[in-house]
Amino acid sequence: MNQILDAVRAGRTSLLPLLIKRLTLPERRALLPELTALRKEVRDWDWARRREHGGVASALLVAGAGCHTGAAAAAAWIGSRDLAEGGAARGSSRWAGLLAVLGDREPAWLGDVAHRLAARAVTVEDNYPLIRELIGLADCPVPTTDGFVHAWAEDMAFGGYPRSSRHLLSVALREDPRAAEMVPLLFQTAEPAATLNWYVDPQAPDHWPSALTALVREGIVERRVLVDGCVARLLRGGRPGGLKFYQVLLQRLDLTPAELREHTADWIAMTADAPSVLAGQAQQVLAGLSEAGELPAERLAEMSAGVLFRPEKKLVRAQLVLLGKALRRDREARHVLLPAVAGAFGHEDTALQERALGLIGKHLLPGDEELRTELGFQAELLSPVHRRAAAELLGAGGGDFADEQPYEEILPPAPVRSRMPDQARTLSETVELVAALSRSAAATVTEFESALDGLVRHAHHDRTALASALRPALADRWWATGDRQAEAGQIHGLELVAAAVLGCVRAYDLRPGSVPQSAGYHQNCVHSMLGAVVADRLREAAHHAVSGTLPFLLATPSWDTGSLEPRELVERLAAYGRLGVRPAPVDFAQALLRVRRDPAAAEAARALGTREGERLAAWLTTAGEPPELLRRVREPDLSLRGHWWDRDWETMRRIVIETAERPVFQSEFPQSFHGLGRPHTGNGHRCYWVPDDAAYGAVLPEDRETQAAWLLPEVTVCAALDGRGAGARLSRLAELGGPAGPAVHLAVATGLGARHPEDRLAAVDALLVLAARGELDTALLGQDVAELLRLGTVKPNRLADAARTTAATGAYATTWAVLDGALPALLAGGAGAARGAGELLAVAADCVERSGAGGPGPEGLAAVASRAGSSRLVTQARRLRAALAAAEPGAVALVS
């Protein structure tokens, strides 16, 4: 045995097979503990022994594989990453050593090891050569794991491991005795093997579709295996790029009519759910079957139910053409096919609705009363203008469209604010919440404020009991281990207060004014300014949690938005007076920023007879007035030579909002608040800090205008450049307090043109919240959208998507009121060629038709509608003009 260990330590792998074969199985097992100990020793070697490490690891790999007598243990040893990555021997020499020590085992044992290695997803591709040889020795079925199949495909294509000499994929497949077993597995993996799509030229030597069709011609693989495999894989779906191989292979196989007919149900399923390109190909296959008379009317109707529900206009148009051809060939099929045609009545494109209605009018016969009644029920999905045409076509059997009620707009309900808990949390509840938030990346305003107030309350009541409960709950935090106290700047969030209670923070760092809060923060970054306020408030709370001087916090909100009711603040100040407690400066300053401005509560504040009461009264009347806002268009600075990632931002023509200085912040608030009162120009560099902390948004919950002015640059980046994520904060902004003025409306208008759908959806949500609360100025929002369209910040196609989403909630009149002011930017002066302009007009026309709005229409509409041609822009302009002309004045009612 010593000889084996000596050979391993010397890295002499070639000696091991002969030495190990002399040992009995019990002797091999007895050697394992020493090999395991050596493996642990080698794993801990430092970089200085790196060269020695490779040889020893390779020898350990071979020795351990030969000494393990259980298949599971042997596979785990061979598949270990530390031995495989550390081994210096690679290629055939590595596998030769392993095969030499394993070759004398039973075939069943070798097959078990091979299958276990194939099941290790992380290392299967590295160990593929060994697995392949073990399968050959065991003469067992091949593994079916995804990793093994992918490794086999790569080996066939590139010959990464020593095999018989070949240069073509088709030759490699023909020489492989396992090809007939492996090829079907190519269609069963979760993701296709990467090598399948690497060569797209049919003449390339490693073009898989060509090589597989050659196997079919030679009888090595059954044709049915490839056909059924491709169809099943396409039916399962996936990324379009991952499906390309299966589509090309089907084209190379050139399916016979019988094969196409056999998979009719599969083609129908693809037309309903597959990606657009694949659905179009399946639609063409079914169209061929239909024209050949091999697709019954019932199956064509089944197919139409899925296709006509899809948003792709090209597919829907093609399906209506297919239905029209089928109706011309067989008039009797109208009882089955015309209800299928009516499936297009609910499509968002009214031009397709009109085409479907025309197709029904062409094939409906005078005696089809039952059919008219059935179609009449579906006609309710049509837009109002086409509903009237349907009434004329379907007659009495088409439903009573003449008695339709005047349009009544029902907006989604406004979000309901939630009150903060009236009762303070118990000690156990507070500790549980603090422990949960210390391990969470995000917290709501309610959770954060409840936990902070609970820590201060319980520290005042009994700090020792609080510390005893916190210590086991936070024992795993880094600052809670060891004897050295951490610096206050190293601990963030609520953990700073908890650490102070536990005595894990230097008390020197918590003294008021000990660290200038403006230090380390960028004055032109609003996130840094808000962060300074939050950090200073936490430091102050930590200081008072240690001293126990504050019975509770003044700034704890009344509502989950962060707002504080003025009468509650007056009551808290009165309680402080009865207890003889002086308010903490930062806590009181935050309370002022959160209090809802109600002049009626000023008298009660003055009645307190304290300095804080006078400040609160002044804040509720005059001192709390929001800053003035100045809006202007910033021209690009073409001479800028900044960083490449800021150049597009600085050289972009955009709208900026500047906030005026608020002297009250500089004179009466702590230093950490001074940045909030400085002028903000909106011309700074792009800010890449996107905080998710709810505490930041709750610093100014009653000043939406200022927050909107600060948020506008980020929303602009989302619309004009590559930004993402600002829309979520825009949605929350609409639910806060304070006036919803020009800044809020401009931020919403910009968000409606955001690049990413989730940001546009959040802007739509903000718009609907403002509308439901009666705070939306549609004329102002329309003007903002028009200006953004002229500047190019908002693209028409993105705005059309946002407008369609808004209207789909039932807010047709609100959406039209906004678009009425925005459309002149696209129509005036012969413009409107921008991508999506016709789409935007289609949404506007739909809103007018459904809401019954009237009027002269936006400037430039008549000129565009009078143009010759049938482009989408001109067609929809005519439709909008006709809808406005046909509308009855005063038919719109708004209900929130």
Side-chain angles (χ1 to χ4, degrees):
M1 294 187 189
N2 290 336
Q3 287 182 317
I4 294 177
L5 290 175
D6 291 342
V8 171
R9 287 188 175 276
R12 303 183 67 180
T13 308
S14 59
L15 298 179
L16 292 173
L18 182 60
L19 295 174
I20 291 175
K21 283 186 177 182
R22 296 174 180 173
L23 303 179
T24 64
L25 292 181
E27 290 174 334
R28 297 186 188 188
R29 286 194 294 268
L31 191 59
L32 285 174
E34 296 183 70
L35 291 175
T36 303
L38 179 58
R39 177 183 175 183
K40 182 178 180 181
E41 175 188 337
V42 171
R43 190 184 298 149
D44 296 334
W45 283 355
D46 57 23
W47 186 259
R49 303 185 68 177
R50 188 63 185 175
R51 296 184 65 180
E52 181 183 359
H53 178 278
V56 176
S58 294
L60 267 173
L61 179 65
V62 173
C67 291
H68 276 95
T69 56
W77 185 277
I78 297 170
S80 61
R81 297 302 296 266
D82 59 324
L83 296 178
E85 293 177 353
R90 296 296 185 192
S92 59
S93 59
R94 176 188 182 189
W95 312 126
L98 287 170
L99 288 171
V101 296
L102 297 175
D104 59 346
R105 303 298 181 91
E106 294 291 329
W109 189 91
L110 294 176
D112 192 3
V113 172
H115 279 260
R116 291 178 183 274
L117 288 174
R120 300 174 69 90
V122 177
T123 57
V124 58
E125 294 190 22
D126 291 337
N127 291 323
Y128 169 76
L130 175 64
I131 299 171
R132 183 191 63 216
E133 297 301 330
L134 291 177
I135 291 171
L137 293 174
D139 193 23
C140 64
V142 296
T144 59
T145 63
D146 288 7
F148 182 80
V149 175
H150 290 183
W152 175 83
E154 183 174 351
D155 185 38
M156 290 295 101
F158 304 109
Y161 305 102
R163 291 181 53 84
S164 59
S165 175
R166 79 282 200 275
H167 303 284
L168 297 175
L169 173 63
S170 57
V171 176
L173 290 170
R174 193 180 301 114
E175 292 180 352
D176 193 318
R178 303 278 183 169
E181 291 181 78
M182 294 301 302
V183 168
L185 299 178
L186 293 174
F187 306 96
Q188 299 175 16
T189 57
E191 293 292 333
T195 59
L196 299 181
N197 287 318
W198 281 7
Y199 289 95
V200 296
D201 181 5
Q203 305 304 321
D206 290 309
H207 187 251
W208 274 91
S210 301
L212 291 177
T213 51
L215 293 185
V216 171
R217 288 194 300 268
E218 297 172 16
I220 298 176
V221 176
E222 291 185 26
R223 177 184 176 88
R224 188 180 187 85
V225 169
L226 299 188
V227 174
D228 292 349
C230 285
V231 173
R233 192 59 185 79
L234 292 174
L235 194 59
R236 197 168 74 188
R239 295 188 300 270
L243 300 178
K244 185 67 175 177
F245 159 73
Y246 308 103
Q247 293 174 259
V248 175
L249 180 54
L250 278 183
Q251 293 173 358
R252 299 286 292 180
L253 290 171
D254 191 17
L255 302 191
T256 65
E259 290 172 329
L260 293 172
R261 187 170 55 253
E262 182 182 355
H263 291 282
T264 297
D266 299 321
W267 309 130
I268 292 176
M270 289 181 205
T271 59
D273 301 320
S276 184
V277 175
L278 178 56
Q281 293 176 352
Q283 187 183 44
Q284 292 175 7
V285 171
L286 292 169
L289 292 175
S290 177
E291 292 177 3
E294 296 183 355
L295 186 67
E298 291 76 12
R299 302 308 299 272
L300 180 56
E302 178 188 352
M303 169 197 178
S304 301
V307 177
L308 297 180
F309 189 74
R310 296 183 67 114
E312 298 95 332
K313 302 178 184 65
K314 181 179 179 181
L315 292 176
V316 176
R317 279 194 297 268
Q319 190 66 22
L320 291 175
V321 171
L322 179 57
L323 286 166
K325 292 179 178 179
L327 286 166
R328 286 194 297 271
R329 286 195 303 268
D330 183 6
R331 296 281 296 207
E332 295 303 317
R334 66 186 184 280
H335 296 281
V336 175
L337 296 183
L338 288 183
V341 173
F345 285 175
H347 200 277
E348 63 184 22
D349 190 339
T350 55
L352 293 174
Q353 294 181 11
E354 183 177 0
R355 180 176 293 201
L357 193 58
L359 189 59
I360 289 176
K362 183 183 296 186
H363 295 279
L364 195 63
L365 298 181
D368 296 333
E369 295 305 322
E370 263 187 54
L371 188 54
R372 289 175 189 275
T373 303
E374 181 181 356
L375 295 173
F377 289 118
Q378 293 179 275
E380 295 179 359
L381 300 173
L382 289 165
S383 65
V385 64
H386 293 131
R387 216 175 294 158
R388 288 189 287 271
E392 297 175 3
L393 171 64
L394 301 176
D400 191 3
F401 298 108
D403 295 335
E404 290 185 0
Q405 297 298 318
Y407 174 76
E408 185 178 65
E409 179 147 319
I410 302 178
L411 295 169
V416 179
R417 296 186 303 175
S418 299
R419 290 280 306 190
M420 290 280 289
D422 294 331
Q423 299 294 328
R425 292 179 180 268
T426 64
L427 177 62
S428 59
E429 290 174 341
T430 299
V431 170
E432 182 180 357
L433 182 57
V434 171
L437 296 182
S438 69
R439 295 165 177 82
S440 173
T444 64
V445 173
T446 300
E447 292 170 338
F448 179 85
E449 294 294 339
S450 294
L452 181 59
D453 184 63
L455 286 172
V456 172
R457 285 177 182 269
H458 291 293
H460 172 77
H461 177 69
D462 188 346
R463 180 189 166 192
T464 302
L466 177 60
S468 298
L470 281 174
R471 187 166 286 108
L474 300 175
D476 61 336
R477 311 313 291 169
W478 67 268
W479 45 262
T481 59
D483 299 328
R484 189 172 65 87
Q485 291 181 318
E487 298 179 13
Q490 297 176 324
I491 307 176
H492 304 285
L494 288 169
E495 289 190 42
L496 176 63
V497 184
V501 171
L502 294 174
C504 298
V505 182
R506 298 188 308 187
Y508 178 85
D509 292 348
L510 301 177
R511 292 179 306 143
S514 61
V515 179
Q517 291 305 303
S518 59
Y521 291 98
H522 301 290
Q523 295 184 3
N524 64 341
C525 175
V526 296
H527 306 117
S528 295
M529 295 187 294
L530 294 171
V533 172
V534 174
D536 202 17
R537 184 173 177 232
L538 287 168
R539 181 179 275 104
E540 183 186 76
H543 168 73
H544 288 285
V546 173
S547 63
T549 52
L550 291 183
F552 53 83
L553 294 176
L554 296 173
T556 302
S558 306
W559 303 96
D560 61 348
T561 59
S563 296
L564 173 61
E565 288 299 317
R567 296 194 182 277
E568 289 188 29
L569 181 54
V570 170
E571 292 173 1
R572 293 173 188 176
L573 287 172
Y576 266 39
R578 290 192 298 270
L579 295 172
V581 177
R582 287 296 306 273
V586 178
D587 183 38
F588 179 65
Q590 178 63 90
L592 290 180
L593 295 184
R594 285 180 172 172
V595 72
R596 182 175 59 83
R597 294 187 70 250
D598 182 5
E603 190 61 34
R606 290 193 186 92
L608 293 173
T610 62
R611 181 174 179 273
E612 286 77 15
E614 291 294 333
R615 286 186 61 191
L616 174 57
W619 186 266
L620 292 174
T621 52
T622 57
E625 288 286 343
E628 295 182 6
L629 302 178
L630 174 64
R631 167 176 166 162
R632 65 184 178 88
V633 176
R634 184 184 187 277
E635 298 297 334
D637 185 2
L638 300 179
S639 63
L640 185 72
R641 294 293 184 269
H643 295 294
W644 63 269
W645 55 80
D646 279 332
R647 197 168 299 141
D648 289 343
W649 167 245
E650 295 292 349
T651 58
M652 182 177 67
R653 192 166 181 252
R654 65 184 188 275
I655 300 177
V656 298
I657 292 184
E658 301 176 357
T659 57
E661 184 175 5
R662 302 180 72 179
V664 66
F665 277 83
Q666 315 300 327
S667 60
E668 299 185 16
F669 280 68
Q671 183 180 354
S672 57
F673 290 78
H674 291 180
L676 302 180
R678 296 192 185 99
H680 179 71
T681 65
N683 289 341
H685 293 291
R686 252 179 94 177
C687 181
Y688 293 89
W689 184 10
V690 183
D692 292 326
D693 195 338
Y696 282 46
V699 173
L700 290 169
E702 287 294 318
D703 192 356
R704 278 186 293 185
E705 282 290 276
T706 297
Q707 289 209 50
W710 291 346
L711 183 61
L712 180 60
E714 296 177 49
V715 182
T716 303
V717 169
C718 290
L721 299 177
D722 57 349
R724 193 173 202 151
R729 277 169 290 149
L730 182 63
S731 179
R732 292 195 296 266
L733 178 68
E735 302 179 18
L736 299 183
V744 171
H745 282 73
L746 179 59
V748 172
T750 308
L752 292 175
R755 177 179 181 180
H756 297 286
E758 62 269 23
D759 287 320
R760 293 198 297 271
L761 186 60
V764 169
D765 184 54
L767 185 157
L768 292 173
V769 169
L770 294 175
R773 293 170 61 167
E775 299 171 335
L776 181 67
D777 186 337
T778 55
L780 175 60
L781 186 61
Q783 293 169 10
D784 288 339
V785 172
E787 186 172 7
L788 293 167
L789 285 169
R790 294 188 189 99
L791 291 174
T793 305
V794 168
K795 307 296 188 295
N797 59 322
R798 298 174 186 170
L799 178 61
D801 177 73
R804 186 184 302 109
T805 303
T806 307
T809 66
Y812 293 103
T814 300
T815 306
W816 163 244
V818 174
L819 294 181
D820 189 21
L823 286 176
L826 291 180
L827 301 175
R835 179 185 176 190
E839 193 74 17
L840 192 58
L841 282 174
V843 176
D846 188 49
C847 291
V848 170
E849 291 168 355
R850 292 179 182 275
S851 66
E859 182 183 355
L861 176 63
V864 175
S866 301
R867 293 182 193 173
S870 58
S871 67
R872 182 167 179 76
L873 176 68
V874 174
T875 301
Q876 295 302 325
R878 294 169 184 162
R879 175 189 166 202
L880 176 57
R881 182 178 62 176
L884 289 168
E888 297 181 7
V892 179
L894 297 179
V895 178
S896 62

